[in-house]
Structures are given as C-alpha cells and as structure tokens.
Amino acid sequence: MSVAADLQQTSSAEAIAADLAAVLRDITAANELVPPDADLVSDSFGAIGLNSVDYLEFVLNIESRLNIDVPDEALMDPALKSVLAWADWLAVNAERLRTPDLAAR
Amino acid sequence: MAVAARSLTRVALVGPREEPFTDDPEREHRETMLRSYEEIVRDVATFGSDYTVSREFLGIEYLAASLRRAGRTVRLLGASNEGLSDKAVLDALIDFAPGLVGFSLLYDLQLANALILARQLKLVRPGTFVVFGGPLASAIGQLLLETFDCIDGVIEGEGEAAIVALADTLDAGGDLTGVPALQHRTLDGIIANPRGAPLDLDDLPHPSRDGIASIRARGLPVPSAYLTTSRGCKAFCTFCSVPNIVRGQKGGTYRMRDPRDVVDEMEAVVRDQGVSRFYMADDNFLGYGEESNRRMLAFADEIVARDLAVSFHAECRVDSLVPETLMRLRRAGFDQILFGLESGSPKTLKRWAKGQTVEQNEAAVALARRLRLDLMPSMILLDWESGLDEVADSVAFIERTALYRSGQPLWLVNKLKVHCGTAAARRYDNVHGRPSLPPLRDDETSLRRWCATVTYQVTPIENPHVAAFWSALNAEANRWSVLLDEAVPAILKALRADHRRDAADTLALVSRLAAYRRSIGPALAGLMRLLVDAAAEAERRHRPPAGLDRLARHYAAEHELQHFPAGILETLTGSGAGDPIPRRVSVAARPLASAG
C-alpha cells in the first residue's frame, strides 16, 4: 500500500472510530454496568461490560448507521474486540459491505 | 513384568467426551449443557465476551508433540472439540489401529465415557495397551487398575516423558518398571513406579495444534488457542487437584517457561493457525515473587517488541498482583483476568486453605477495574459444611464489590465440587467415610452409577438453612441460565436474520433483551440478599427454613414481568422471528412468567 493510501485509510479509520464510539455511547447511555471512566474507543468490549446481547445490539446499530451488512464470521472474530479494532477493519472492508437496500429503507 | 515384543509405532490419544451426571437435582444447569464446539458455533450469533474459549485439549497436544519428536505416528481424538460420539471415536481407533492408546481425564465428567470406550476397544482389539492419565486418573489410578481389566496402566502427574518411555518400552518388549510415573499390574500386584524429575518446560516441544487444525478444517471460526507459560502452583487450596499433580516435586512445584520461547510459540500459532486470542491455561499465570515478575515484564515487552496483535485471558491469584506489571501486560494484550476469589468469608477462606484474605480479594477487584481489565470473578458460594454466617459474608462481599456486574453473573452461583485426590475429598471421607461403591456389571447404568459415587457427585449440604438457601437460589439461577445460555442465543440468531429484513423493529427488541440480560446480575444479587436474610431469620427463630423456593420463584417472576409484562418467551416468540426456542427451553423457562 502506498503512503498516500495508507494515510487515507488511517484518516478513514479515525472517522469511523468516532462514528462507532458515538453508536456505543448511545447504546450504553442507560447501561449501568459500564464504568464511568471507560474508554469507549480503545477498551475491549469485555472491559466496557458488554455481554453478547449488548454486542449484537452494537453491531446491528453499526449496520444501520453505516448502511453495511457485516458478515456473520466477523461477529465470531475475537480480533474485533474494541471500537478501535472495528474501525481499522471497517476502514478496509466497509466499501465491499455496503448495502444499497439498507440505505434506502 | 516384561511384556512381549511387538511392532508399535502408532499412538492414539483420546480426550473423552464429557457427559453430565444426572443424579443430583441441585446441580448447576451450566454443568449439564456441555456441547461440542461445532454446536456452540452453530447456535450463537456472536461470541462477544461470553464465548472466548475453544474446546482445544492442550494436554494431549503436548503429549502428541513429544511422541512425534520421538518419531512416532500419533492420532489425536478430542471428542468435545471434534463433536465425536463414542462410536465415532471407537471407529476411528479401530481404523487407526494403534498399539498404544492414551485416555486423558481432566475431570469427572469424562470418566464414564473413557471407561466405556476402553472396554469396547479391548473387546475388539485386546492387544492394544490402554493407559489412562490426567488429573483425575492420577488421583484414582490404583482403584482404576484394581477395578478395570481394560486398563493396562495409569500415568500419574506430567505425562510427556512417561508416555514416550512407555511407547519405547512396549516397542522393545522391555520392563515396564522402568517407565516413570506408571502404575501397572505385576505378578506381585499393582505397583507405582517413581515419578521422574519435574520436566524442564523449555525442553518440551511446543504442543501439536491438531485441535485448532481440526476446527479450521471444518470451516469453523477459531476463537482462541490455549497456551501455558508455566506449570504448577505453590498453594494448597483444599478443593484443587493441582497439589496432587505436583506432589513430591519439591523445587519443581512451580516451573516457568522462557518468555521468549512462549512468544515464539504465540507467533507461530498466529502465523500458522490464524489465531489472535490466547487462553492462558496456567494454574497461576503471574507466579510468585521477583523472578516471576521479571519474567512477566519480559513476556509483555517481547510481545510489544514483536508487534504481535494478540489479546489474552489468564487466571491469577490475588496475592500475585503488581500494578506496574499488569499495566505492561495490558499494553501487550492482556484484557481479561480471572481471579480465584472463591469466598468473601474469612472463615471459609481459612477452611479452604486459600492463603489469601477478604481484604486482598477486595483490593484485587478494585485494581482490575482501575486498570480497565475485563474481570471474571471465580467464586464458590458454599460447600457441604458451610454455615449460614459464611454464606452471608460472601453475599455481603458480592454486594460490596458489585461482582454481579460481570458478563457472567450466574457463575457466582457455584457450590464447591469435591474432586478426587484433593484435601476436600480426604476431609469428606474423614467425616462421612469412604464412598461405598455400588456393584459393577457389564452394563452402562451400573458403570455410570459407580463413576458418580467414586467422583463425589452428591455431597448433601449439612446445615438445613444453607441447604434451603442453595436449593431456592440455584433453582432460579438455573432458570435464568436456561434462558440466557440456551434460549437467548437461538433468539439472537433469529433476530440477526430478521434485522436484514426489518431493521427498526428488530433493533428495539434487541435493545429490550439487552436491558433484561444486563438486569440479571443486579437481580441475582437482590435474590441472594432476600434468601440469605430469610434463611437467617428462620435460623435465628429456630424454625425450619420453609418457603424459600416460593419466595425465590415470586421474586424472579416479578423481575421478568417488569421487563416483559407479557412474558419474555411470549414476547420474543411473537416477534415474527418464528419459534427459534427449543422445546425443552420453553418448557423449562415458562414457569417463570406464570409464577407468583
């Protein structure tokens, strides 16, 4: 990957991370199990206090917000353990996951 | 005794299928819901933090690596990992035709199936040498050899050097008395060969990753790999089987690997198996004292220096924590810590020889939260001789530390299991006498009854008030567990599919379900308080502890109705997601809504 493309991807990842953190902030606003000092960007979902249902809620919200369809395998990937990890992954993959149908709903 | 020379090159190593015992109605539900890895993957929509563990069987993978280094052909059969029935394992063994078969018994739920398989194998291939090993077999080796002709030997403790020496001896037709740590029959009866010196962990080859390869070959996701960076433990907790494994090893009671070699192994597993998460299977990951601490720092720095993008879980004692070290490890990917807290009662901690205090437990919980580690608390709420005062201390501890605010609050509902070979088993025998073993016939029923008795499956609680508390609490926890562990994954899977068709409705339902799932922890703590107070009141008044089960049922039903006034299953099955709930789940969970 060229330096320019690398920079573009980094900047894209940062923007996505901000977007995802906003999603997470929304859905954890009423979650009394989330520590007040949690870093929603870099802490692992486990440390933030998300269980498997919370996690699915987060993913479904991402799909709606970004108009993408996340493949089932990604939900089983332990490497996608934080907003930061999701943002890096989406910076590379979001375009191919785009779903016009979802966007039109 | 010398054995006849034979050609022997193949060795099969079996991790037997686990099967829950069914003779204790008070058993925790999670112990009965053992499923193969393939079934788990099929049933869940997301691993999240609830499902981080694979069913890889590291013990036999270590044995396989040593045997392969010695030039032997080895076949591994991890029944749970591969989802193999007993017949499938037997067919594979017959097909592979090994001269030596090892059954590794980690714990009691594997015993009956291992014995059934060994019997069947000996009927078909009587010349096969069958050896048992692992923590459970190490604890009852003499009894196994006295009782079962289908077992030719039992290896006690570490198995790598012993299984290689056993295979070599069988090939050479040599004398089995030279095989370290082997218990076997002789003309003079059963003898136990001396255990060899503790193994140098850096001399062992890295475990063969057949378990992960098998998962990948079936196209399943690989959630994590098991890994050990040390072996043994210096503590003597009465409920733990490790002291029996390291018995007599003096300086080898706790041994560490070179941290660079550990990271070499991690790097290879990441590269070759596509794994990014590790589950450290050490008995005490952080170790003891300055030498261990230096090793941990070197380990963390090595991962960072190599820029390995990994995360890992580990189990630690609360008296081994050094904040600076934990922070360095966190930077290296350490994100989930399991503490063996066990109890919030000073009396209980002392009785179990835990060697740590309630204050240390509280400090450890606070530290893990300050460092933003995902905390998995290991608690044992009571045992067969607990007093209500001890239980009340633990409930108060759970409240003070808000331990119920974890991803798996139901794990707090846990009764001490008496494991063979532990100080707890010796204590139980001293008080109640050794278990009177039922007669064995050739049928499975009598064999399973024998296994249940020998492995202490039923240890009734002595104090009637503690017994009533446990029965009422565990019944409701089991209902929640059926719902969360069996119904909810199937519902989530259906909702995930629904979301692709109708985003808004599905999201609202998932949000409600998420709120209910989060509320289970605080509700559980409330239930514990309600029951322990009611039991204490009855004890104070010298009254029988009647009505706790009704109290618990009413409390849990009210809690559910607060979140789902029409009933949770009714709401979710009426969501248009079809009926994703298995019949057994709806039957088990439905009384919740109608109680009251």
Side-chain angles (χ1 to χ4, degrees):
Chain A
M1 185 185 288
S2 70
V3 174
D6 198 16
L7 277 175
Q8 191 180 5
Q9 193 166 300
T10 305
S11 136
S12 167
E14 284 171 2
I16 294 172
D19 234 6
L20 300 189
V23 169
L24 193 54
R25 200 172 302 112
D26 283 349
I27 66 171
T28 57
N31 186 342
E32 65 283 2
L33 302 190
V34 174
D37 61 343
D39 180 340
L40 298 185
V41 175
S42 62
D43 283 354
S44 71
F45 294 124
I48 288 172
L50 300 195
N51 59 54
S52 59
V53 192
D54 297 321
Y55 186 60
L56 183 63
E57 185 185 11
F58 170 69
V59 174
L60 298 186
N61 272 283
I62 292 176
E63 290 186 323
S64 296
R65 179 94 154 226
L66 302 183
N67 295 319
I68 56 174
D69 185 2
V70 174
D72 290 344
E73 307 87 80
L75 274 67
M76 303 286 207
D77 186 351
L80 298 178
K81 60 180 181 174
S82 65
V83 158
L84 212 51
W86 265 97
D88 286 343
W89 184 77
L90 284 172
V92 176
N93 294 291
E95 205 48 50
R96 75 176 173 86
L97 305 178
R98 197 75 65 195
T99 54
D101 289 343
L102 269 176
R105 277 208 304 248
Chain B
M1 179 176 69
V3 293
R6 68 184 91 174
S7 170
L8 180 96
T9 52
R10 292 164 180 260
V11 181
L13 299 169
V14 180
R17 187 171 60 84
E18 300 149 308
E19 186 158 322
F21 292 96
T22 55
D23 51 355
D24 182 5
E26 305 274 282
R27 192 176 300 281
E28 297 93 318
H29 163 257
R30 64 180 172 278
E31 201 173 313
T32 69
M33 53 169 283
L34 302 164
R35 291 179 294 179
S36 74
Y37 179 67
E38 194 156 352
E39 287 175 306
I40 292 171
V41 170
R42 186 195 62 207
D43 289 351
V44 304
T46 141
F47 279 138
S49 60
D50 301 7
Y51 299 93
T52 56
V53 184
S54 76
R55 310 299 297 275
E56 189 185 7
F57 207 138
L58 194 62
I60 57 177
E61 291 181 332
Y62 258 110
L63 299 180
S66 287
L67 286 161
R68 283 172 179 157
R69 185 169 67 178
R72 295 191 176 273
T73 302
V74 183
R75 171 84 193 268
L76 266 67
L77 294 160
S80 293
N81 181 48
E82 299 184 53
L84 298 173
S85 66
D86 291 348
K87 181 176 184 315
V89 174
L90 183 64
D91 288 347
L93 287 174
I94 293 168
D95 183 53
F96 183 61
L100 170 60
V101 176
F103 289 89
S104 182
L105 272 66
L106 195 57
Y107 68 142
D108 48 5
L109 302 193
Q110 298 170 306
L111 179 59
N113 288 331
L115 289 168
I116 290 166
L117 267 173
R119 271 180 173 177
Q120 292 172 337
L121 180 65
K122 277 289 196 180
L123 283 176
V124 182
R125 299 182 63 87
T128 309
F129 192 96
V130 170
V131 65
F132 276 35
L136 176 58
S138 297
I140 55 170
Q142 172 95 15
L143 178 64
L144 288 174
L145 285 167
E146 285 169 358
T147 313
F148 297 98
D149 291 341
C150 58
I151 304 174
D152 298 301
V154 174
I155 291 172
E156 291 181 287
E158 284 181 307
E160 286 88 350
I163 193 102
V164 171
L166 175 60
D168 289 347
T169 303
L170 292 173
D171 261 356
D175 187 350
L176 291 178
T177 55
V179 177
L182 182 73
Q183 286 181 292
H184 58 107
R185 293 187 197 86
T186 70
L187 294 175
D188 300 322
I190 295 166
I191 64 165
N193 300 342
R195 295 189 186 191
L199 303 176
D200 181 338
L201 302 184
D202 290 326
D203 284 347
L204 291 176
H206 295 166
S208 301
R209 296 290 177 170
D210 294 45
I212 298 178
S214 156
I215 290 173
R216 289 174 63 81
R218 285 174 286 149
L220 302 173
V222 179
S224 58
Y226 275 76
L227 194 119
T228 52
T229 80
S230 65
R231 279 188 187 176
C233 181
K234 293 183 180 178
F236 293 94
C237 305
T238 59
F239 50 80
C240 182
S241 59
V242 171
N244 185 51
I245 295 296
V246 299
R247 172 170 47 87
Q249 293 192 339
K250 299 189 174 111
T253 300
Y254 181 76
R255 283 157 291 146
M256 302 178 282
R257 289 177 61 190
D258 180 335
R260 283 165 305 181
D261 184 50
V262 175
V263 182
D264 283 348
E265 183 185 350
M266 293 171 82
E267 200 166 36
V269 174
V270 169
R271 182 190 62 233
D272 300 338
Q273 309 291 349
V275 167
S276 64
R277 182 163 185 80
F278 290 88
Y279 191 97
M280 303 304 188
D282 299 41
D283 299 309
N284 180 18
F285 176 66
L286 294 174
Y288 306 86
E290 192 46 43
E291 191 187 354
S292 290
N293 195 48
R294 277 198 303 274
R295 187 181 77 105
M296 279 291 116
L297 292 172
F299 171 65
D301 292 348
E302 192 71 23
I303 291 175
V304 172
R306 297 194 202 183
D307 202 20
L308 272 185
V310 295
S311 61
F312 53 95
H313 158 115
E315 303 183 10
C316 309
R317 282 182 60 86
V318 300
D319 54 6
S320 305
L321 306 177
V322 180
E324 170 59 24
T325 306
L326 289 174
M327 286 163 68
R328 294 260 281 275
L329 286 165
R330 189 177 182 278
R331 280 196 287 276
F334 185 25
D335 61 2
Q336 190 178 57
I337 189 165
L338 187 149
F339 284 140
L341 303 170
E342 321 307 2
S343 177
S345 158
K347 195 197 290 185
T348 309
L349 288 173
K350 189 174 178 187
R351 183 152 52 82
W352 292 345
K354 185 65 190 173
Q356 66 197 37
T357 64
V358 175
E359 291 72 25
Q360 284 175 309
N361 280 349
E362 291 193 30
V365 170
L367 178 63
R369 287 187 174 140
R370 196 166 74 241
L371 298 178
R372 300 207 295 271
L373 291 166
D374 180 9
L375 172 63
M376 298 182 78
S378 169
M379 285 285 288
I380 306 171
L381 205 52
L382 48 87
D383 67 2
W384 57 273
E385 55 184 338
S386 290
L388 199 55
D389 58 328
E390 296 172 79
V391 178
D393 278 350
S394 277
V395 170
F397 172 76
I398 288 167
E399 290 171 335
R400 276 199 311 279
T401 53
L403 279 189
Y404 52 84
R405 294 182 175 220
S406 77
Q408 298 287 6
L410 296 176
W411 290 4
L412 297 172
V413 183
N414 193 21
K415 180 186 167 201
L416 186 137
K417 175 79 187 71
V418 175
H419 286 289
C420 296
T422 62
R426 290 192 290 279
R427 163 84 182 149
Y428 196 81
D429 289 350
N430 284 339
V431 174
H432 296 272
R434 290 184 73 88
S436 173
L437 297 175
L440 269 169
R441 294 181 295 274
D442 288 337
D443 63 306
E444 270 193 41
T445 305
S446 71
L447 179 72
R448 290 190 187 283
R449 196 175 300 128
W450 186 91
C451 290
T453 306
V454 85
T455 56
Y456 303 92
Q457 290 308 308
V458 182
T459 53
I461 296 169
E462 289 182 341
N463 180 313
H465 299 277
V466 174
F469 166 85
W470 171 254
S471 181
L473 176 69
N474 192 48
E476 295 313 317
N478 280 349
R479 284 192 173 83
W480 275 324
S481 180
V482 168
L483 196 63
L484 298 188
D485 296 328
E486 300 206 38
V488 165
I491 290 167
L492 292 182
K493 194 107 178 167
L495 291 175
R496 169 98 177 101
D498 267 10
H499 181 252
R500 293 194 161 108
R501 295 190 292 274
D502 184 353
D505 283 359
T506 312
L507 264 177
L509 200 54
V510 170
S511 294
R512 279 181 77 187
L513 195 54
Y516 175 71
R517 170 72 169 78
R518 287 195 301 271
S519 74
I520 297 286
L524 175 69
L527 179 60
M528 285 181 178
R529 169 54 58 199
L530 182 72
L531 293 176
V532 81
D533 284 351
E537 181 65 15
E539 189 174 53
R540 200 162 35 245
R541 291 172 180 268
H542 304 289
R543 288 182 181 162
L548 293 194
D549 51 351
R550 284 195 306 279
L551 195 62
R553 179 67 61 84
H554 179 76
Y555 175 94
E558 284 294 311
H559 167 257
E560 181 186 312
L561 291 174
Q562 284 169 15
H563 288 265
F564 293 95
I568 184 167
L569 293 175
E570 288 77 1
T571 304
L572 292 168
T573 52
S575 68
D579 186 4
I581 304 164
R583 170 165 283 277
R584 70 182 187 286
V585 172
S586 57
V587 169
R590 202 166 291 280
L592 262 178
S594 58

